[in-house]
Amino acid sequence: MLETERLLLRALAVEDAAGVLAVYGDDEVTRFSEMVTLATVEQAQTVIGFFQHEFERDAGIRWAMVEKSSSRVVGTCGFGWLRQNFSALLSYDVAREFWNRGFTTEAIRATVSHCFATTESNRISATTTVDNIASRRVLQKLGFTEEGVLRDWGFWKGQFVDLRCFSLLRKDVKV
């Protein structure tokens, strides 16, 4: 578990299904990702099961972002591991109600610090769709460098998607 001023980042549990549905049940939240918009608690439970399975097989970690003051799940964040390259791939999603309130920046700052402090990762990568300006701003605010556009890198929702690639190297982090 990680703790910030306003958030707890903790393991996702099946009891978080309603909160996960609140995040991923919104077309605006899933608009820029490969995640399909969820419609049922059962679908949210399946997503939680997927994240738990990734953790169990040591392929990644995904935390529930929980607002301390309300105990509500406001989003999820975490990494996929690319250990052979000493790298991690950052991902995050936040409920629309919590956009533009600094929660994403707060959670990602703690997540990045944790990654560099507890793993051998030398590089953290993140991608955004070219149109996701808010996510690009979060990454830039946290010191990530934009490396370029990966043309037609993604394919979801029936179309190819251009992605902006960002990175943060261990040596870039000011201690």
Side-chain angles (χ1 to χ4, degrees):
M1 183 180 329
L2 304 178
E3 188 170 349
T4 69
E5 182 181 337
R6 298 178 294 166
L7 297 169
L8 290 176
L9 305 181
R10 61 159 175 76
L12 277 161
V14 90
E15 296 79 26
D16 294 321
V20 169
L21 179 59
V23 174
Y24 295 112
D26 182 341
D27 288 330
E28 280 301 301
V29 172
T30 62
R31 176 176 144 205
F32 294 121
S33 76
E34 61 189 306
M35 175 73 77
V36 297
T37 303
L38 304 182
T40 67
V41 169
E42 292 75 23
Q43 289 174 325
Q45 289 169 336
T46 299
V47 168
I48 291 168
F50 172 79
F51 290 143
Q52 289 172 334
H53 179 70
E54 290 295 289
F55 180 75
E56 289 164 5
R57 67 183 195 93
D58 200 28
I61 188 166
R62 191 75 169 214
W63 289 291
M65 296 167 51
V66 179
E67 183 183 34
K68 287 181 187 178
S69 65
S70 68
S71 298
R72 290 178 54 198
V73 173
V74 302
T76 69
C77 63
F79 295 101
W81 303 120
L82 304 165
R83 285 191 170 82
Q84 70 278 12
N85 295 332
F86 296 90
S87 296
L89 180 61
L90 173 69
S91 59
Y92 50 89
D93 298 290
V94 177
R96 185 179 354 176
E97 174 183 350
F98 296 92
W99 290 357
N100 301 311
R101 293 175 50 192
F103 284 99
T104 306
T105 301
E106 189 174 322
I108 300 311
R109 181 175 285 120
T111 302
V112 164
S113 293
H114 176 76
C115 180
F116 283 136
T118 62
T119 74
E120 295 181 358
S121 294
N122 181 58
R123 173 189 172 91
I124 298 173
S125 300
T127 59
T128 68
T129 59
V130 294
D131 298 330
N132 192 339
I133 295 165
S135 191
R136 180 173 70 208
R137 286 185 183 144
V138 166
L139 294 169
Q140 289 171 331
K141 186 185 314 181
L142 293 172
F144 280 74
T145 299
E146 183 174 340
E147 296 182 328
V149 174
L150 304 168
R151 298 179 314 133
D152 284 352
W153 184 257
F155 183 82
W156 55 74
K157 299 174 186 164
Q159 61 186 8
F160 289 100
V161 180
D162 293 345
L163 298 177
R164 289 187 193 279
C165 184
F166 296 84
S167 70
L168 183 66
L169 303 180
R170 183 179 291 274
K171 67 184 178 185
D172 296 337
V173 178
K174 294 172 182 48
V175 180

